[in-house]
Amino acid sequence: MLITDVKEIGKSRVHVYIDYEYAFLLYKKDMTRYKLKLGFEISQELYDEIIKDTVFRRAKQKALAIL
């Protein structure tokens, strides 16, 4: 899987596109943490780690905050 685009959303967030399809939103500090950049080949294991440890965790926190 190839990171094909990274679009900045505000000062601290970015939309990440993998193989020309939107994949997820990350903070810039997460991009640095996972060492992601445009044109980077991302493994399935790293993708799963990002989804599980970052995206799902933040979604759960947001949902609980709404309740």
Side-chain angles (χ1 to χ4, degrees):
M1 295 187 288
L2 182 67
I3 296 178
T4 53
D5 198 9
V6 176
K7 292 185 180 178
E8 290 192 25
I9 307 298
K11 292 182 178 180
S12 63
R13 299 179 300 166
V14 295
H15 282 177
V16 178
Y17 291 80
I18 296 176
D19 296 332
Y20 302 101
E21 293 185 17
Y22 176 74
F24 42 76
L25 178 137
L26 288 177
Y27 287 95
K28 288 184 181 179
K29 66 179 182 175
D30 295 323
M31 294 287 290
T32 305
R33 176 177 152 205
Y34 291 114
K35 299 176 183 151
L36 301 177
K37 59 183 177 180
L38 185 63
F40 182 76
E41 185 71 30
I42 186 170
S43 67
Q44 185 65 42
E45 293 81 21
L46 180 57
Y47 177 82
D48 292 341
E49 180 183 339
I50 292 169
I51 295 296
K52 180 182 170 193
D53 295 342
T54 304
V55 177
F56 283 167
R57 182 178 50 82
R58 286 199 181 122
K60 181 180 175 182
Q61 290 173 345
K62 183 69 172 178
L64 291 174
I66 291 171
L67 294 174

